[in-house]
Amino acid sequence: MRLEPIAAPSLARTFTPPALALIATVVIASLLAMIAGANPFGVLGLIVKGAAGSTFALLETLNRATPLIFTGLAVAVAFRARLWNIGAEAQLYAGALVVAVLGTGLLGWPSGVLLPALAILAMIAGALVLLVPALLKVRFGVDEVVTTLLLNFIFLLFVSMLLEGPLKDPMGMGWPKSPRLIPEARLPRMVDGLRLHWGFGLALISAVLVWVVQARTTLGYEMRAVGLNREAARFAGIPVNAVLIKTALLSGGLAALAGYSEVAGLKGNLTLDLSPGFGYTGIIVAMLALLNPLAVVAAALFVAGVFVGADSMSRAVGVPTYLADIMLATALLLMVVAILLTRFRVVRE
Amino acid sequence: MAETEEAQVVLRLDSITKTFGALTANDAVSLALREGEVIALLGENGAGKTTLMNILFGQYTADSGTVEVFGRALPPGNPRAALDAGVGMVHQHFTLADNMTVLENVTLGTRSLWSPRMDRAAARARIAKLAADFRLAVDPDARVGTLSVGERQRVEILKALYRDARILILDEPTAVLTPQETEDLFATLRKAVALGLSIVFISHKLHEVMAISDRVLILRHGRLVHEGATRDTDRHALAALMVGSEVTAPRVASGTPGPALLSLVDVGTPDEGAAPGLKSLTLTLRAGQITGLAGVSGNGQAALADLIGGMRAPASGTLALGDTPPARWSPRAAVHGGIARIPEDRHKTGTVADFDLTENAILERYMDAPYSTRGWMHWPQAEAATRGIIDKYDVRCPGPGTRIRLLSGGNMQKLILGRVLEAGPRIILANQPVRGLDIGAVNYVHEQLLAARDGGAAVLLISEDLDEIMALSDVIHVISEGRLSPPFARGSMTPAELGVWMAGHGFEEERAHAS
């Protein structure tokens, strides 16, 4: 057996395999729920209900999707240029750190100035965190997978050190957390009375902007060319190293916005459990979205929905929340195969 | 050889048919190879030669038909079966480990992984005997990375013989050889035939086919269109059968040389691994002239092409466009300096496979108006320009939105031609512009180069095909180990004389004369 590329995939060919992948994911999740001793239809129903069954559930899902959109975009932008940024987690914390340090009264500006300023400074911080591995890559050929991955641990320990020391809230009863932000540094709610902050709106705008950059600007064209064929890009005169650096700055900045929106929008201060792996989950989101920035939004909503729904289901029937991780892993693996099948057909020899 | 009529048939392909979707790659092809015989398999690219050999070696399974070696049918789809039955293949691209010695390469894979040690003495003796029997002079302890192309090919043949091959299949074996090395190869093949081996010789080069083969088979569009004794035919008849209509050799009038558009004076570049850099090289490209660069591959052609294409700056010496050296030398400086660059490898460097035609057509000029202004792309303008290229250069494709990986090599090359020629270049760097193309596309590319020359462009044609160089060039240089021969005017040298230079002789005398 081998794979043969399909010249012009039909509509059915484009949509059937991903749909089958989703159905297969649901079937496998049901089987696992049965093994755990629950009624599979009940479990799935509870997950859907927990993710989108009420206004509260829906808002919870949107809130959870917000950082995933940012980290998903960060990964999608980098991977598109074949810059393997596994360090969105560190960049997220860099953005969060900026807000936690400067948003507690150090800058006494009105909200309309302070919030954009914090966003820009957070992006710069995240960009700088990814700039180091990117420079090591283009100057010395150091593998960025290793450097970005290891930087996550270094950065998390650095944040931990700060939270135990200079950043520790004196009123925090000894917990390692930073002081609360001033009200001017908090992102307002999108709709009065609904628990959804403007971080979500910023995430949607970012997705559209990233799409515009990729599809309509020379930088986006350069990034795609560098990602698809570095040698041809260099031959054509595209400054490959400069493009990789610009990609790193954009990617790091996007990931930092996840930290910004979590601290300024949701939490109000910085703790070590700010991100339950949003940086890593961003890779899943980006892959599910085929690195398309608009599809990142849909993928982030799906992933967030599974997590939030599984939490709620677990509380109701006692099936472990690990089911959510298994569902996502299954969905990712099946989706990768499904996407292969939209572009290739299997030929039996 | 009249007695071959009675000789035993060692390899028989019987009405092999293979289709890929709508394409019939092999249509009931039958072939019989007799003991001690050389048959030549001729055909354009895409005629089905490779498919046929892949079926023989079990890479593909035929839709119908059978393969028999020494009277026994081979099971379909089993790559080991042909090897075990005594068929050896020498590929166009060698499959040798550069960091191992000849002895290790030859014995590689012939011993069980579990046997504690190999008997080097016995292996060495066997290789020495094979080398003597078949006139394959090569040092068994030399590291393959240090060997010349011709020597590596001998190692490949030794590998096949060491595995007791009685049938040798040679895929375009002379493409990378100098005329002298080709003669050595032919001596080996004649020796092999005398010792009872049988050979399938796949080639484009008609004079070699005439020189070495007993019978010629021609494939066209997957069908066997001719089978007959070599002595009963001639080159013109074979060429006509290959393309399906009588081909006339291009009758090229000489160009009228104008002013120097690009000059290199005493240019040097550092060596890169095994690839030599340029050694104090001086070259002038004149308007209205095709300058041919002949040479065996890997002798500095890549360094020269990189230099003129803007991929690297000279480490010493000067490069000047017209009579001004450019302030900064880069691919963009080269493109904007009026250099049309047709790269050697259109898949790896010339195009981005998963970009569509439009995105590929603007690859060198996406930063310029009208394709973009102030960082914003203008896709409608880019697409309109691409449509223009598709029409004018007859690029066969569904449309400008097609991914370029789906195009044939010839159509890909036409798009590259359109991309670089539409800008009205003054200098054309054509690096292996027809490699791997069928005859129709070859003629098209050559016509375009000649038209550009007659329009006043300076053309540098780099090719390993001496026939192509001699047919098109107004002036010929030979490159060897990064050194450039003096210019030879059209018609002043025979292929054999150029071959002496290609083998690296003559340069020292030249230096002695100069000093």
Side-chain angles (χ1 to χ4, degrees), chain A residues 21-31 44 327:
Chain A
L22 282 181
I23 292 170
T25 304
V26 168
V27 170
I28 290 169
S30 308
L31 289 175
L44 290 172
M327 273 183 79

Side-chain angles (χ1 to χ4, degrees), chain A residues 216, chain B residues 357-359 361-362 365-366 368-373 376-389 400:
Chain A
R216 293 275 182 270
Chain B
L357 267 68
T358 302
E359 289 167 318
I362 60 168
R365 296 186 179 269
Y366 70 96
D368 306 336
Y371 307 131
S372 73
T373 44
W376 289 94
M377 299 297 303
H378 301 306
W379 290 114
Q381 280 84 337
E383 195 185 311
T386 309
R387 282 188 194 284
I389 291 174

